[in-house]
């Protein structure tokens, strides 16, 4: 039976240097040949999904940790900050000399306090070391977006599999029928997943695809 597969990008599809293992590319291509649908489900915006990722072959994406949904190159859902919120965040970043990525952990703590009406998070690094931070719309997560996409596809939750490595992936782990955490992931994500595979750089994604019968 065909599955709908959701892949986090950083720390799951690629390592935190942006390198995608060849084994992962081949696993995705084979899974799609076998009739499965594959979507990335990432904190990245649409503009940050570079051509190398699209060239693997994907059915679409969930971006902004759930604020954007795309299927077959068409936008299905897009929840944005208001113009007032955008201007406030941009001005705050410029005042700190930050170019749209929070720098230190203190920046994250300050952002969370300053923009209490928004959702603040951290991500990046082995074992979830906080390398970056982000601000987004409250009440949005990867699980909400998967639900929107499944309704669009007329697909069943029972046919879903989620792959990730971080706390931000836990909502989709809990939502999807099956969940897999990469070996380089954080402890909370590992505990929330049904399966823990090897690290990204140790062909963990391809190994899990094989064990799950996707390839």
């Amino acid at each position: 039976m065909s599955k709908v597969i959701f892949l986090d990008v950083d720390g799951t599809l690629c390592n935190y240097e942006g390198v995608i293992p060849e084994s992962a590319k081949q696993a995705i291509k084979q899974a799609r040949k076998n009739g499965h649908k594959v979507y990335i489900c990432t904190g990245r915006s649409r503009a940050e999904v570079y051509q190398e990722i699209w060239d693997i072959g994907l059915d679409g994406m969930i971006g902004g940790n759930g604020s954007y949904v795309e299927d077959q190159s068409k936008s299905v859902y897009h929840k944005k900050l208001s113009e007032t919120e955008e201007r406030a965040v941009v001005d705050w970043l410029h005042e700190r000399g930050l170019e749209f990525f929070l720098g230190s952990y203190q920046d994250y703590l300050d952002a969370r306090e300053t923009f209490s009406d928004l959702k603040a998070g951290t991500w990046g690094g082995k074992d979830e070391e906080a390398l970056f931070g982000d601000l987004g719309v409250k009440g949005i997560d990867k699980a909400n977006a998967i639900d929107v996409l499944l309704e669009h596809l007329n697909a069943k939750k029972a046919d879903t599999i989620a792959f990730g490595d971080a706390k931000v992936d836990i909502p989709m782990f809990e939502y999807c029928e099956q969940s897999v955490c990469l070996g380089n992931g954080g402890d909370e994500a590992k505990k929330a997943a049904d399966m823990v595979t090897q690290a990204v750089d140790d062909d963990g994604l391809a190994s899990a695809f094989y064990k799950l019968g996707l390839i």
Side-chain angles (χ1 to χ4, degrees):
M1 182 172 294
S2 63
K3 302 293 184 182
V4 186
I5 301 164
F6 298 97
L7 303 176
D8 172 56
V9 174
D10 299 282
T12 302
L13 174 60
C14 66
N15 63 25
Y16 280 101
E17 287 71 49
V19 178
I20 306 171
E22 188 61 32
S23 62
K25 296 179 183 180
Q26 294 306 317
I28 292 167
K29 291 176 181 178
Q30 187 60 52
R32 294 185 76 228
K33 284 182 182 178
N34 291 348
H36 306 296
K37 290 183 178 294
V38 180
Y39 296 84
I40 54 171
C41 191
T42 176
R44 295 189 188 200
S45 68
R46 179 64 171 78
E48 294 172 305
V49 180
Y50 306 124
Q51 194 58 44
E52 180 189 9
I53 296 173
W54 289 116
D55 287 344
I56 298 170
L58 298 169
D59 291 281
M61 71 170 288
I62 290 170
N65 285 326
S67 61
Y68 177 77
V69 180
E70 179 180 307
D71 177 47
Q72 305 301 331
S73 301
K74 293 182 179 179
S75 175
V76 175
Y77 174 83
H78 196 181
K79 182 70 172 177
K80 303 177 182 179
L81 298 177
S82 69
E83 184 177 347
T84 300
E85 289 169 332
E86 288 177 356
R87 289 183 180 279
V89 171
V90 169
D91 289 345
W92 186 83
L93 290 168
H94 283 165
E95 285 170 7
R96 289 179 167 244
L98 298 170
E99 291 302 325
F100 305 97
F101 284 98
L102 304 186
S104 70
Y105 195 74
Q106 188 61 48
D107 289 324
Y108 157 71
L109 295 175
D110 292 344
R112 188 174 65 176
E113 182 177 348
T114 302
F115 301 102
S116 57
D117 54 334
L118 299 179
K119 182 179 179 180
T122 62
W123 56 279
K126 186 177 183 296
D127 299 324
E128 262 199 284
E129 176 189 358
L131 299 181
F132 307 103
D134 53 40
L135 289 165
V137 181
K138 270 193 173 177
I140 294 292
D141 61 28
K142 293 184 177 185
N144 299 137
I146 291 172
D147 193 56
V148 169
L149 180 58
L150 292 181
E151 184 175 350
H152 168 75
L153 296 173
N154 195 26
K156 298 177 182 177
K157 185 160 68 169
D159 296 326
T160 56
I161 307 176
F163 294 79
D165 73 308
K167 282 183 286 189
V168 72
D169 298 316
I170 292 176
M172 73 169 177
F173 284 180
E174 294 174 342
Y175 180 92
C176 290
E177 184 69 17
Q178 293 177 288
S179 56
V180 181
C181 185
L182 277 289
N184 48 274
D187 289 339
E188 287 184 58
K190 288 177 179 176
K191 288 176 183 176
D194 298 316
M195 175 194 296
V196 178
T197 186
Q198 297 99 303
V200 177
D201 292 325
D202 295 327
D203 302 316
L205 194 66
S207 176
F209 270 45
Y210 178 76
K211 289 175 182 176
L212 291 169
L214 301 172
I215 58 176

